[in-house]
Amino acid sequence: MKFTKMHGVGNDYVYVNGFTEDVARPEEFSIFISDRHKGIGSDGLVLILPSETCDFRMRMFNADGSEAQMCGNATRCIAKYVYDRGLTTKETISLETNGGVKILKLYPKNGKVDTVTVDMGEPILEAEKVPVTWSEAQLINRIIDFQPEKFSVTAVSMGNPHAVIFTKSKFSTLDIERIGRKIENHPMFPEKTNTEFVEIISPTLAKMRVWERGSGETQACGTGACATLVAAVLTGRLERKATIALLGGDLELEWNAENNHVFMTGPAVEVFSGEIEW
């Protein structure tokens, strides 16, 4: 099986060209290759596939083998992969995902893509569509008891569910594995959830750590950064254009007031390519 390892601000996946490779049992393959001691090492697997409605289609699997709707950082890496390898000459492409169609604007330098802006679409705030079990139409800035901790939570979907939590202290020493795992599996999130822990630095800058369902803490999460911006704007913490600083690097975000779409700009990096038995 031929593969390429890529990352977007440290959110690393193994990419396989589904035009030329047939991945049997992708759920098992994702578990196998994600192991950082016995496999390639990654946050999961991304398949680049043909689409009947868009330029390309993606399927992505977390490190535990579960299939996710989409990943913002992975979409940028797909754009780099298909352009750098001549699968497209377009500098704007459409990508079919399980979380909806995404439009990607590519910025090549010397024939290779350096950064990508992704139109992530409109945020979903309706509780039943996130989904989150909640008595009101939306869950915005409400205290939830996760025992023994209580957190103020805003629930947002960017094609996948997010619980955004703003923290004022212990950001760097937060026991994210214990707390993140508890929130991910809380019954109020019927499809589990990604959880963002956010520290506001200024009206245009926030720091974020993320616990991704099925993968644990990762260096970055594009959809999580988008959800964080939306939650921060809704609660008066950030302006509509802001930088989200993650462990793996920075993402530039804008929640456009005119069309309600969230735009994410960031780098896409190829690490190495190889072959592995499967």
Side-chain angles (χ1 to χ4, degrees):
M1 180 77 65
K2 293 181 179 179
F3 71 88
T4 299
K5 174 80 174 285
M6 306 181 78
H7 78 86
V9 289
N11 196 191
D12 62 333
Y13 290 92
V14 171
Y15 294 77
V16 174
N17 183 349
F19 288 82
T20 58
E21 300 282 347
D22 183 17
V23 182
R25 309 185 309 282
E27 297 85 355
E28 295 176 34
F29 186 55
S30 184
I31 296 171
F32 168 58
I33 54 96
S34 296
D35 191 302
R36 298 188 184 274
H37 298 286
K38 299 178 180 178
I40 298 166
S42 69
D43 291 328
L45 167 70
V46 176
L47 305 180
I48 304 170
L49 303 162
S51 170
E52 295 182 358
T53 56
C54 296
D55 294 309
F56 300 95
R57 179 168 70 98
M58 72 174 283
R59 291 182 70 190
M60 67 160 295
F61 299 84
N62 296 314
D64 67 354
S66 60
E67 185 167 5
Q69 287 97 332
M70 66 92 61
C71 169
N73 291 316
T75 61
R76 299 198 312 277
C77 290
I78 287 176
K80 177 175 177 62
Y81 185 101
V82 299
Y83 186 90
D84 289 4
R85 284 163 175 75
L87 298 179
T88 185
T89 58
K90 296 180 179 180
E91 294 187 6
T92 299
I93 63 173
S94 58
L95 181 66
E96 179 186 353
T97 80
N98 289 344
V101 175
K102 308 303 174 187
I103 305 300
L104 286 58
K105 173 63 178 174
L106 289 57
Y107 301 100
K109 285 186 179 180
N110 301 318
K112 292 185 180 293
V113 168
D114 180 57
T115 59
V116 179
T117 295
V118 185
D119 181 348
M120 300 290 287
E122 298 185 66
I124 297 170
L125 300 172
E126 294 89 345
E128 64 178 5
K129 293 181 180 179
V130 171
V132 56
T133 302
W134 187 244
S135 58
E136 300 173 24
Q138 299 176 343
L139 173 56
I140 298 177
N141 208 33
R142 293 303 185 90
I143 300 294
I144 306 296
D145 188 354
F146 293 105
Q147 296 181 351
E149 294 93 352
K150 293 182 180 180
F151 294 107
S152 181
V153 176
T154 298
V156 181
S157 172
M158 293 300 309
N160 54 358
H162 294 272
V164 181
I165 294 171
F166 297 97
T167 177
K168 295 181 179 179
S169 61
K170 298 182 180 179
F171 179 81
S172 60
T173 59
L174 186 72
D175 188 354
I176 194 169
E177 181 169 358
R178 179 182 62 80
I179 300 170
R181 193 181 302 279
K182 177 179 289 188
I183 297 174
E184 174 191 359
N185 294 285
H186 195 278
M188 72 182 297
F189 298 104
E191 295 181 8
K192 299 188 177 182
T193 188
N194 304 283
T195 307
E196 287 72 38
F197 300 91
V198 185
E199 180 183 1
I200 301 297
I201 306 301
S202 76
T204 57
L205 176 63
K207 294 167 63 176
M208 184 188 106
R209 294 178 68 186
V210 57
W211 177 270
E212 292 198 57
R213 59 176 182 172
S215 292
E217 184 174 19
T218 60
Q219 292 284 299
C221 176
T223 56
C226 294
T228 291
L229 177 67
V230 170
V233 171
L234 289 173
T235 57
R237 290 178 165 93
L238 286 179
E239 296 178 5
R240 283 184 171 265
K241 285 186 179 182
T243 299
I244 306 297
L246 306 106
L247 296 181
D250 295 351
L251 292 173
E252 302 301 323
L253 280 298
E254 177 186 0
W255 186 12
N256 188 283
E258 294 183 2
N259 63 12
N260 200 39
H261 287 216
V262 180
F263 294 87
M264 173 187 62
T265 301
V269 179
E270 181 171 332
V271 184
F272 62 87
S273 294
E275 295 185 10
I276 191 166
E277 272 193 37
W278 180 249

